[in-house]
Amino acid sequence: MSGMHLSKEFFELIKAIGESKSKQEEDRIIASEIISLKKKLDGSSSSSGGGGGGMMMSPGSPIPSMGTPGGKGGNNALNSKKKAREFLVRLLYVEMLGHDGSFGFIKAVELAAAQSIMHKKTGYLICSCCLSPDHEFRFMLVNQMQRDLISSNLLECQGALVAVTNLITPDLVSTVSTQVMGLLDHTSEVVRKKAIIALHRLHQLSPDAIPKEELVDKLRKSLCDRDPSVMGSTLNSIEAMARVDVRPFKDLVPSLVSVLKQICERRLPSEYDYHRIPAPWMQMKLVRILSVIGKNDSQSSEGMYEVVADCLRKADEAGINASNAIVYECIRCITTIYPSQVLLDAAGASISRFLSSRNQNLKYLGVTGLASIVERHPKYAADHQLAVIECLEDKDESLLRKTLDLLYRMTNPVNVEFITDRLLHFLRGSTDPYMKKDLTGKICTIAERYAPNNAWYVRTITELFRIGGDMVDPAVATNLMSLIAEGTGEDDDEEADMVLRKQAVELYVSILGNPPNRMPRVLVETLAWVLGEYGYLSSTMNLDVIIDSMCTLLESGNIAKIGGGAATTRRLVLSAVMKMVAQYGSCPAAAGKCIDEYTKSQDPDTQRRCLEFMTMLTTAPYLLGEVFPVDASLEDVEVDVDLSFMNGLVAEAVSNGARPYQKPDDDDDDDIYAAGAAATGTSAFKMTPYEKPSEKTYGQGQMHGLGSTSMGPAGAANVALPPGGAMNVHGGGGVTPVPVAQPATDGLTLRSTANVWGKKAAGAPAPMAPATNSFATSTNNSFANSNTINSPTSSGGYGGSSSYGGSSSYGGYGNSQPASAPVAPQKTAEQIQKEKMAAALFGGISATQPPAPVAAAAAPVVVSPQGQWGAKSTAAAAPAPTPIAPAAPVPAPAPVVTAAPAPEVDLLGFDAPATTTTSSSSVDMLAPTLMMDEPVAPAAPVAPPAPEPAAPPPPPAAPIDPFADAGLLDGVTQTSLPSFSSPNALNSTKFEFGGSPITPLAINTPQFGEHWGSCPSTHPISIPSSSSVNTLSKFMALCEQAGCHKVEEIMATNEGIAACMAGGGSSVALVHGKISPLAGGTSRVDVTVKSTDPGLSQGLSLYLQNMIR
């Protein structure tokens, strides 16, 4: 309501609420308003029954009317409706400010039945906001909503549909579902749009009344609606349902891609544009739906690669807030669907633009996008080292939090120490409880997962105890104690375990002098356990001095509330004092005094412990060594279930006349259990633990289930943290689900949609081609499609007939000329310090290496065909190279072959030779030189260009290699190579993946078996006969030479296992091999490679296969 329609009382109410200085003053204002409203309601009720000029209730109308029933009642009735409407709005303020306004709800129900649409909407609004789901007045509104849903008035239908979504409860869905479903075919697009939302809400309330299959069928039909607003409304319901169950929408990828393509090509009316961006909210909604459908589905993802790339490119060119939101959604989609190297590069470029912006909001988007991409593809973070360091020093708390989350996601075994130190630094200065809780959990996770050694883990967790305090999970303290007690778990490392325990003791001895009020409970309890078990190992403080310090801690803790005043903490400290007294051999005076004081404690458990210890100390001190053994925290306790040590006492008592024990006759349950045990010869109780539920994973092999999750001798978790001991196993794109077969008739066609939305009629759609990966990478990371886009008959992917990347763009952006390279300024001391921090932060993350510079202009250059997304040459010094026709070879010192479409992802992970310069970053997997790093004769130096053009040399002879005939070598020089079975074949360097050698993953056999089933990608290979690798020792030597860690050789079965990791620990590979000797000095070799990354497992398996042959 505008100000001119407000009464003076209402205006004063709003003014008083806004000017109130405290909650008490506001409550007084609302209390006075409630009294005033009740008086008006009572006056309306009393005057409604009178005559003359009073307020009356007209027959059949729920709205009170003023004046007599005479001819002048019309204007008075209108005024009374305005007063009733204002009454309800004032009542809504009462409810919003936390007071009870139920006395006026009946007026809202009455006003919902008014003839005026404004009053009807007001009544529905008050009922929607104030009536609880179980309020009895909701039943009174059902009949009115049913009448409005079938009304011929569009405004009444719309108001009823909005009320249905807010007022209908699950038990009332069936009363309005038929009417709502009928409105899906209404002639008004506004009614159809609201009906879709209402129907989805009814399905959420009662899935039985509105079946999912029926709703999905209605949504498919509405997606093809002639009006774009109805289609946009349908997208909301599709997204919500797809997040619950994506299977019914898998076959909608072509339709959704076609809709997004038409929006990007500006086929929607201009009223849907926002700042020259075509329907940005619809674009974001479609991209989100595609990301949900394409997650872990390579087939669906391939169908959306092209349109997502086009949407990202056009939005990135606009450079305004609306387009930046689309770019961010595209980045999230790219990092969610099955990975595509071309799209990942484009997303990395957009993230770089965000991070380099001065706008804090765009920086926040950049850090958020980088956090989403770095978890599975850490190499993209290495290009933004200084930007991340600057965000860490930013004063914006929101940006700082998001940057800390980025640090957590990019942690690996190399940079874990630096990142943990930074997180602890921010944890010390944080005052936000939520942020402290979040940082504490993240530090615990990365410390357990990537700890470089056990000593570092102990120091880090202890420092976390000091800072985080009670926010640390108690299980972390239990794991720390188990690590100190067990060590590495290896029998031959007992000396290293003792060194670890001694370091832990020295660490906690140094903490012992801190004020008790600054020591959290978890730190005090851990300190008490460590010193109680291994205090005798200290070389800086004698054991009696440690005992005195512990007693002082107890005495001062009574005043300072040690451990928060918890009784369990005092018990643990007392137990530690008793253990050290037993180790020391005598009881110091301070310990005796302290324990004697606690014999009078109000805590029964503490009192009992102290009394038992004092009795033992005075009567049987020789038992202290048995009751408190040294370093026996994890030893098994032998329990005599038959209580045989009591046999002598029982026999003596019986001989003295005691009555023998007789089992009660009414104990039927014991008889049943005893009979069952006697029949089976086993215990009546099932003492075996339940088996661990097996998870269904793709490619489970024979090593699945070999992991050990036992809790150690005394039930404590085995904690062993070698470098990379805890693997970051995730399913990021590693699982390729089996595509669901869909009937051919289920596909959704939008042939008529283009004619409706577009300004001109679209041509007949070409037949849909199977989805293929037709992207090729160019030198400036633009998108070039050499297979589909250049074809004159291509349909441009799913749906539609016009190709992507045409003349349409967001305002003509993206046509700027390349600027000259700026002069690098001198680095300051602050910049050098930031670079050092970045080097420590981004350790273990391989950055994308720049292409090698061209040595001379005479060197051959291969130019890939440019499509509509082709790269433009940015070279200024030399003229642009002339494209080489595929059929005519160019005379040159070395054979030059035209560029052929290369696979999008380098599955083998090898880099191309540095001497080859192409306009595409693709790698030829068929060239044998890429399989081994064997010595190759150095290339002859290139002569400088002659001043006069020389006569072209005669064309080279036709190559013998059939791949060269087909033009598949992509400019790689043809060099004769030795056979893979030659003696020099085993002398190659480590296997490389993603441009970097793999690194050994130091784990033991139980950890290997534990993670075997967690690796989704499996590539088995079998060599029927091999003479080069015919023994198990040679196979393990081959694995170590490739860069794997030898986990174990099983000589009895001729089996061996090895492990490695790539990408700074983001990808893990496990190798299992079996050697079967054959006659003639050869052996059959069966190898299974499992990995979290399908490219790593496939590349490593091919590498081993070629080396074994």
Side-chain angles (χ1 to χ4, degrees), residues 161-176:
L161 287 172
V162 175
V164 162
T165 59
N166 297 319
L167 293 174
I168 291 298
T169 55
D171 54 331
L172 299 177
V173 169
S174 58
T175 60
V176 295

Side-chain angles (χ1 to χ4, degrees), residues 702-703 1008 1012 1032-1033 1035-1036 1039 1045-1051 1053-1059 1070-1075 1086-1088:
Q702 57 185 350
M703 295 298 292
F1008 183 94
W1012 179 265
L1032 180 59
S1033 59
F1035 173 76
M1036 298 308 296
C1039 293
H1045 167 68
K1046 181 175 71 173
V1047 180
E1048 185 179 2
E1049 291 185 30
I1050 309 174
M1051 304 301 298
T1053 58
N1054 267 349
E1055 292 180 89
I1057 53 178
L1070 307 176
V1071 181
H1072 170 264
K1074 182 176 178 61
I1075 310 298
D1086 297 306
V1087 181
T1088 302

Side-chain angles (χ1 to χ4, degrees), residues 237-557:
S237 301
I238 291 178
E239 181 188 10
M241 295 188 65
R243 292 190 183 278
V244 178
D245 184 10
V246 73
R247 289 174 297 178
F249 305 101
K250 283 286 186 180
D251 60 333
L252 283 183
V253 172
S255 304
L256 297 171
V257 167
S258 177
V259 172
L260 181 58
K261 180 179 178 181
Q262 295 181 57
I263 295 176
C264 292
E265 293 176 351
R266 295 182 174 275
R267 295 191 183 183
L268 265 66
S270 59
E271 57 262 25
Y272 290 93
D273 291 358
Y274 179 79
H275 291 275
R276 304 189 306 276
I277 305 298
W281 285 274
M282 289 187 186
Q283 290 192 53
M284 289 185 284
K285 187 70 66 175
L286 284 165
V287 171
R288 283 197 294 267
I289 295 174
L290 292 177
S291 65
V292 174
I293 298 177
K295 185 177 182 180
N296 296 333
D297 189 345
S298 60
Q299 184 177 8
S300 299
S301 299
E302 288 177 359
M304 61 185 74
Y305 285 161
E306 189 172 341
V307 70
V308 172
D310 191 35
C311 183
L312 174 63
R313 178 178 59 83
K314 291 185 177 182
D316 211 357
E317 291 174 355
I320 62 176
N321 288 339
S323 64
N324 289 333
I326 299 176
V327 171
Y328 173 69
E329 291 296 339
C330 290
I331 292 173
R332 291 184 58 189
C333 177
I334 291 170
T335 58
T336 303
I337 63 177
Y338 200 83
S340 167
Q341 189 63 41
V342 176
L343 291 180
L344 289 172
D345 291 340
S350 299
I351 291 173
S352 177
R353 183 176 67 85
F354 286 156
L355 289 174
S356 59
S357 174
R358 295 182 179 180
N359 190 325
Q360 294 293 94
N361 295 329
L362 294 184
K363 278 188 177 181
Y364 186 89
L365 284 183
V367 174
T368 306
L370 190 60
S372 63
I373 198 175
V374 75
E375 191 169 5
R376 299 180 181 179
H377 311 281
K379 67 177 183 179
Y380 292 97
D383 299 331
H384 313 291
Q385 301 180 14
L386 296 180
V388 174
I389 295 298
E390 291 178 357
C391 292
L392 282 176
E393 300 174 356
D394 200 285
K395 297 181 180 180
D396 189 340
E397 188 174 352
S398 299
L399 182 60
L400 177 60
R401 289 187 180 184
K402 188 57 66 174
T403 309
L404 293 177
D405 181 67
L406 171 62
L407 294 185
Y408 167 73
R409 293 172 182 266
M410 61 186 290
T411 307
N412 57 60
V414 178
N415 61 11
V416 62
E417 297 184 45
F418 178 80
I419 290 181
T420 304
D421 181 68
R422 299 298 297 178
L423 294 179
L424 288 172
H425 170 73
F426 288 109
L427 183 60
R428 291 188 189 97
S430 175
T431 57
D432 184 3
Y434 173 79
M435 186 175 183
K436 294 183 68 174
K437 182 69 175 179
D438 184 55
L439 286 178
T440 300
K442 289 178 178 179
I443 293 173
C444 292
T445 301
I446 63 176
E448 292 179 356
R449 182 176 299 174
Y450 301 112
N453 53 70
N454 292 340
W456 178 87
Y457 178 78
V458 173
R459 293 193 305 270
T460 302
I461 297 299
T462 302
E463 183 66 18
L464 181 62
F465 288 163
R466 297 177 59 180
I467 303 173
D470 296 335
M471 292 186 178
V472 183
D473 190 353
V476 177
T478 303
N479 293 340
L480 179 63
M481 298 175 194
S482 301
L483 174 63
I484 296 173
E486 294 181 350
T488 59
E490 302 292 338
D491 296 337
D492 53 351
D493 290 342
E494 184 63 29
E495 183 178 352
D497 295 344
M498 293 302 297
V499 172
L500 174 64
R501 293 162 188 162
K502 184 174 181 180
Q503 292 175 347
V505 169
E506 301 297 351
L507 174 63
Y508 283 101
V509 164
S510 63
I511 302 175
L512 192 55
N514 293 350
N517 57 348
R518 296 185 181 179
M519 297 174 65
R521 175 181 176 182
V522 63
L523 179 60
V524 175
E525 293 178 355
T526 307
L527 178 146
W529 184 88
V530 172
L531 297 183
E533 292 290 334
Y534 306 105
Y536 61 91
L537 296 177
S538 175
S539 59
T540 59
M541 187 180 295
N542 295 331
L543 191 57
D544 56 341
V545 180
I546 297 177
I547 295 175
D548 293 342
S549 300
M550 293 288 286
C551 295
T552 304
L553 179 64
L554 272 176
E555 294 175 359
S556 58

Side-chain angles (χ1 to χ4, degrees), residues 635-649:
E635 292 184 1
D636 293 334
V637 178
E638 296 181 1
V639 179
D640 187 0
V641 295
D642 297 329
L643 303 179
S644 58
F645 59 90
M646 300 288 294
N647 291 341
L649 298 176

Side-chain angles (χ1 to χ4, degrees), residues 737-874:
V738 179
V740 181
Q742 298 290 346
T745 58
D746 289 345
L748 197 63
T749 59
L750 297 177
R751 296 182 180 178
S752 61
T753 308
N755 296 329
V756 176
W757 294 351
K759 298 180 181 179
K760 58 181 179 179
M768 187 180 304
T772 57
N773 189 359
S774 58
F775 289 100
T777 309
S778 61
T779 55
N780 63 346
N781 289 334
S782 63
F783 302 99
N785 190 337
S786 60
N787 292 341
T788 306
I789 297 178
N790 291 334
S791 176
T793 61
S794 173
S795 62
Y798 284 108
S801 60
S802 62
S803 61
Y804 283 76
S807 59
S808 61
S809 62
Y810 297 163
Y813 293 92
N815 298 324
S816 59
Q817 297 297 328
S820 58
V823 180
Q826 295 292 335
K827 295 182 180 180
T828 62
E830 182 180 359
Q831 291 177 337
I832 296 176
Q833 180 65 22
K834 288 183 178 180
E835 290 180 356
K836 292 180 179 180
M837 293 174 61
L841 175 62
F842 289 82
I845 299 178
S846 58
T848 304
Q849 298 297 333
V854 181
V861 178
V862 180
V863 180
S864 61
Q866 287 188 350
Q868 296 180 1
W869 293 350
K872 296 182 179 180
S873 176
T874 58

